[in-house]
Amino acid sequence: MVRFIFFVVASISLLGACGNEIPKMGPDGKPLPKLYRLRQQTTAEVQFRTLDAVNALRVSAQRSALVLNASLNAAAATHARDMSAQNRPWHFGSDGSSPLDRVARAGYKYQLITELISETYETELETLSVWMENPDTRRDLLDKRANEMGFSWYQELSGKIWWTLVLGSGPDEKALTEDLALIMDE
C-alpha cells in the first residue's frame, strides 16, 4: 500500500512538473530564446518557407511574387558566412566587397535591388517579421522592381544566425515570352 501511494504521489508530481516549466529569463526580464538549430532542416525547406512568406506579404501589398535565384542564393550564403567571420552585421565584405560586387561574382547579370541582413538567434520567419516592422526594410521587401530573391544564412556553434536576403530584378518573364513568340513567328 505504501508503494502504491508513493507511486501515485510521484506520478502526480512528475505530471505537474511537465506543464509548469519556468522559462529562463534574460537580464531584460524577457524569456531567453530557445535555440533554433537550422541543421535539422534542409536549405531548400528554409529558403522556400521564407520565399512563401515574403510572397504572401508582397501579394497582400499588391506586388508581384518573387522566384528564388541560385546566383542570389550563392551571394547571400557568401555574405552570411563572411559577416560571421567579421563578427558584425554590415553590408561590406571582409575584402571590401559591396552587395553589387558579391552578386556579380556569383554570376548574377541583372539589377541588384537590395540586401537585407540580420544577426540574431531568431528563426527566419521571426527575422522577416522584424524586417517588416522597420519602414526601410519593409519598403525594400515590397519594392515593385524586384522579381527574384536569394536567401541564406550561417549558424555558429553558439546558435547565433547570420541571415542575408538579396532581391534582384532579373529578366521579365512576360517580356521574354513575348520575345520568344516573335522569334518563333519569323
Side-chain angles (χ1 to χ4, degrees):
M1 182 70 169
V2 171
R3 281 189 198 171
F4 178 73
I5 293 173
F6 176 75
F7 177 74
V8 170
V9 169
S11 297
I12 291 171
S13 297
L14 184 61
L15 288 173
C18 291
N20 295 327
E21 183 180 323
I22 299 172
K24 293 183 181 179
M25 305 302 261
D28 59 358
K30 295 181 180 178
L32 291 173
K34 293 183 180 178
L35 194 56
Y36 180 58
R37 286 282 177 206
L38 284 159
R39 69 182 133 197
Q40 297 169 352
Q41 303 166 61
T42 69
T43 300
E45 287 173 332
V46 176
Q47 287 174 329
F48 280 105
R49 185 171 43 247
T50 305
L51 177 67
D52 289 345
V54 169
N55 281 338
L57 295 166
R58 288 179 60 87
V59 168
S60 71
Q62 300 176 344
R63 303 294 191 268
S64 62
L66 305 172
V67 296
L68 280 179
N69 178 283
S71 296
L72 294 178
N73 284 340
T78 298
H79 192 55
R81 183 175 285 276
D82 191 47
M83 285 190 299
S84 172
Q86 296 181 70
N87 196 31
R88 63 177 167 183
W90 74 325
H91 293 285
F92 294 97
S94 56
D95 61 355
S97 63
S98 71
L100 285 169
D101 298 328
R102 287 190 295 277
V103 299
R105 279 187 209 152
Y108 193 70
K109 299 179 182 343
Y110 306 104
Q111 181 184 6
L112 171 70
I113 302 297
T114 194
E115 176 184 76
L116 303 179
I117 58 173
S118 180
E119 165 198 18
T120 184
Y121 290 90
E122 296 177 326
T123 69
E124 65 277 4
L125 298 180
E126 290 169 323
T127 301
L128 179 58
S129 176
V130 170
W131 284 336
M132 286 299 288
E133 289 173 10
N134 179 297
D136 294 332
T137 52
R138 178 185 180 87
R139 183 179 57 250
D140 289 342
L141 280 166
L142 300 177
D143 192 305
K144 289 180 181 181
R145 299 170 296 164
N147 62 5
E148 296 184 315
M149 181 180 102
F151 184 70
S152 197
W153 64 90
Y154 178 76
Q155 186 167 31
E156 297 177 353
L157 292 176
S158 68
K160 183 191 293 185
I161 307 167
W162 301 84
W163 299 105
T164 305
L165 185 145
V166 184
L167 296 179
S169 179
D172 180 6
E173 286 188 34
K174 182 179 177 186
L176 287 175
T177 304
E178 290 170 359
D179 290 346
L180 184 60
L182 288 173
I183 293 169
M184 299 298 283
D185 286 340
E186 293 176 352

